[in-house]
Amino acid sequence: MTALDNVTAHPTPHPQPTRTRGPQDLATHRRGPTLPSHRIPHLPGQVAFPEQSRTAPGPMALEGFNTAPATDAEQALLTCCRSLRWAHRVAEHRPYPDLEALLAAADEASYDLTPADIAEALAAESLTPLPAGAYSAAHTALSAAHAAYESRFGHVFVICLDDIPAAEALDRVLTGIRSRLTNDPEEERLLTAEELRRLARGRLRRIVGDFSSQPVP
């Protein structure tokens, strides 16, 4: 029996994101020193999907982000996407007139990530707790799914779960891994880059909101 055989199948298909512009072609890479070791030892109680924030930052928060020291802004941006070039580019183009302008700039920086930038960002993706009360079989299925995915593609599975109810997150992750395991490496590289872009957008909303509690010069 393979690792994939242990993955629970679900009828709901995983929607693939619509893209109007693709990132640069990404070179195939194998697991190396820039990629994290397999994350299963950090289980039980964790799953490779990030917490999502649905709180929109107010004008004062954006002003705080616009006027923060460059080093502070870049450090905060690195929590959205762990690419130094991405964080530097988004911080460098401040001030932003509104949130939509900031998100558009973040998208542009994401589309321009190089293969090395994407490998750097993937290496920093970590696990967060499973929903409270998750049954032990969920840990087993998730461990097998991640093992199968990393064995095939050489990097951690990432997926954006914005607007997905917490109760459905685990099913969506398992279904997403099972569906994407059928992709060829090139298809999956493009999907992974798109999921990183979407994750960065959601996280950016949260970190900008954090600046509302900081003094504005």
Side-chain angles (χ1 to χ4, degrees):
M1 179 177 291
T2 64
L4 180 57
D5 293 329
N6 290 325
V7 181
T8 302
H10 297 276
T12 304
H14 175 67
Q16 295 191 356
T18 301
R19 305 178 65 259
T20 57
R21 177 182 174 186
Q24 296 177 3
D25 290 341
L26 308 180
T28 301
H29 63 273
R30 297 181 181 274
R31 185 191 304 279
T34 61
L35 290 175
S37 60
H38 188 48
R39 288 162 171 71
I40 298 309
H42 297 288
L43 293 172
Q46 295 185 313
V47 54
F49 54 86
E51 295 179 3
Q52 304 296 325
S53 173
R54 297 177 176 82
T55 303
M60 289 301 294
L62 186 60
E63 182 180 357
F65 174 76
N66 279 333
T67 57
T71 54
D72 291 350
E74 288 185 15
Q75 286 300 310
L77 287 165
L78 284 171
T79 67
C80 303
C81 177
R82 186 70 69 173
S83 161
L84 290 170
R85 197 166 72 90
W86 183 91
H88 177 73
R89 178 171 171 178
V90 175
E92 186 179 40
H93 285 82
R94 295 176 303 157
Y96 294 97
D98 51 44
L99 179 62
E100 288 307 311
L102 171 58
L103 294 177
D107 283 347
E108 285 297 311
S110 294
Y111 291 135
D112 290 338
L113 291 177
T114 67
D117 295 330
I118 291 175
E120 180 183 32
L122 285 171
E125 289 298 315
S126 59
L127 307 176
T128 55
L130 279 167
Y135 48 94
S136 60
H139 296 285
T140 301
L142 191 63
S143 296
H146 279 297
Y149 181 91
E150 290 199 37
S151 176
R152 175 162 171 72
F153 297 113
H155 59 76
V156 67
F157 174 81
V158 291
I159 186 172
C160 180
L161 297 171
D162 284 343
D163 302 321
I164 301 300
E168 300 176 14
L170 177 59
D171 284 351
R172 188 62 63 91
V173 171
L174 288 170
T175 303
I177 294 177
R178 187 177 182 87
S179 172
R180 286 164 58 180
L181 276 170
T182 65
N183 292 337
D184 64 41
E186 179 63 17
E187 290 173 327
E188 187 56 26
R189 282 193 295 271
L190 294 174
L191 274 175
T192 296
E194 175 64 6
E195 292 297 331
L196 285 173
R197 181 192 69 81
R198 296 180 64 212
L199 284 170
R201 281 180 64 97
R203 293 165 178 171
L204 186 54
R205 289 176 176 271
R206 175 181 57 78
I207 68 103
V208 170
D210 290 343
F211 279 88
S212 61
S213 61
Q214 300 178 11
V216 178

